[in-house]
């Protein structure tokens, strides 16, 4: 019995490349968000700029991975070195997006939901790296995303199960905090 070779459709590769490319843009954005969050800078309305000279960057300067390689890791305007963490973050987030796409095997609502939750986790890890904190609003977005995903799946049972699990986990962590505060004689 002859078995046919496993062939992956060309659209899978094209979609995979696009997902990776979009992931690199998000990686750049997330690194910028974490960097600005750690310095308490405005992250909503201000444009990207060189950390050394402050020159506002245009679209060509912001192409993930490509711009860093083209300008040899230096600012195009002041020629100062740019941290290697910028392209590293872009590459890691691109690989993360691609891995999620390969796991989900298609462009779907599940992929979209998974990308949201893993993006939030990636952003939280960057913010934690800079500040050693996890901002509550970003955690809340993740919780809301998970519950909406469960409701869209049509399973109220899974929604209630997730809610109970969240309360048990957060309640357990709160009890640990209370015990440690008593042991260390810290007041809340």
């Amino acid at each position: 019995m002859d078995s046919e070779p496993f062939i992956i459709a060309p659209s899978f590769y094209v979609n995979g490349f696009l997902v990776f490319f979009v992931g690199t843009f998000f990686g750049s954005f997330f690194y910028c968000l974490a960097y600005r969050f750690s310095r308490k800078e405005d992250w909503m309305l201000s444009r990207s700029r060189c950390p050394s000279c402050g020159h506002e960057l245009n679209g060509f300067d912001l192409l993930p991975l490509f711009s860093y390689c083209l300008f040899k890791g230096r600012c195009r305007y002041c020629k100062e070195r740019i941290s290697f963490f910028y392209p590293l973050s872009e590459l890691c987030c691109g690989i993360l997006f691609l891995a999620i796409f390969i796991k989900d095997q298609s462009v779907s609502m599940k992929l979209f939901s998974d990308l949201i939750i893993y993006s939030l986790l990636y952003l939280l890890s960057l913010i934690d790296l800079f500040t050693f904190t996890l901002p509550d609003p970003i955690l809340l977005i993740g919780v809301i995303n998970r519950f909406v995903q469960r409701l869209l799946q049509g399973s109220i049972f899974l929604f209630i199960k997730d809610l109970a699990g969240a309360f048990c986990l957060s309640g357990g962590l709160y009890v640990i905090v209370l015990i440690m505060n008593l042991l260390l004689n810290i007041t809340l």
Side-chain angles (χ1 to χ4, degrees), residues 20 23-29 31 62-68 85-95 122:
F20 172 81
T24 62
F25 275 98
F26 275 96
S28 180
F29 177 66
Y31 190 83
L62 296 172
L63 292 174
L65 301 175
F66 178 76
S67 295
Y68 189 85
F85 286 107
Y86 281 99
L88 183 62
S89 175
E90 295 164 358
L91 180 65
C92 288
C93 196
I95 291 171
Y122 186 76

Side-chain angles (χ1 to χ4, degrees), residues 49-97:
R49 61 191 180 285
C50 171
S52 298
C53 68
H55 190 278
E56 281 191 2
L57 305 176
N58 63 33
F60 189 66
D61 299 322
L62 296 172
L63 292 174
L65 301 175
F66 178 76
S67 295
Y68 189 85
C69 294
L70 181 68
F71 302 126
K72 298 180 176 119
R74 296 185 177 277
C75 172
R76 183 163 74 147
Y77 306 99
C78 69
K79 307 298 184 220
E80 286 292 318
R81 281 211 159 275
I82 296 173
S83 171
F84 183 69
F85 286 107
Y86 281 99
L88 183 62
S89 175
E90 295 164 358
L91 180 65
C92 288
C93 196
I95 291 171
L96 175 67
F97 273 44

Side-chain angles (χ1 to χ4, degrees), residues 76-185:
R76 183 163 74 147
Y77 306 99
C78 69
K79 307 298 184 220
E80 286 292 318
R81 281 211 159 275
I82 296 173
S83 171
F84 183 69
F85 286 107
Y86 281 99
L88 183 62
S89 175
E90 295 164 358
L91 180 65
C92 288
C93 196
I95 291 171
L96 175 67
F97 273 44
L98 181 60
I100 295 166
F101 172 72
I102 290 170
K103 178 187 77 71
D104 287 346
Q105 295 287 316
S106 67
V107 177
S108 63
M109 281 305 291
K110 174 144 178 35
L111 173 68
F112 183 68
S113 180
D114 287 349
L115 288 176
I116 289 173
I117 196 70
Y118 284 103
S119 292
L120 290 171
L121 291 172
Y122 186 76
L123 176 59
L124 284 168
S125 69
L126 289 174
I127 291 173
D128 188 28
L129 185 68
F130 281 115
T131 66
F132 302 108
T133 62
L134 298 174
D136 289 337
I138 297 175
L139 292 170
L140 185 60
I141 292 169
V143 169
I144 291 169
N145 174 66
R146 180 65 176 173
F147 290 147
V148 168
Q149 180 186 11
R150 289 298 197 187
L151 288 176
L152 289 176
Q153 290 174 341
S155 176
I156 193 71
F157 173 72
L158 290 176
F159 176 75
I160 293 169
K161 181 180 166 189
D162 284 350
L163 192 59
F167 280 118
C168 288
L169 178 63
S170 60
L173 290 174
Y174 188 67
V175 167
I176 291 171
V177 167
L178 289 175
I179 291 170
M180 291 306 294
N181 287 340
L182 287 172
L183 291 175
L184 298 174
N185 201 17

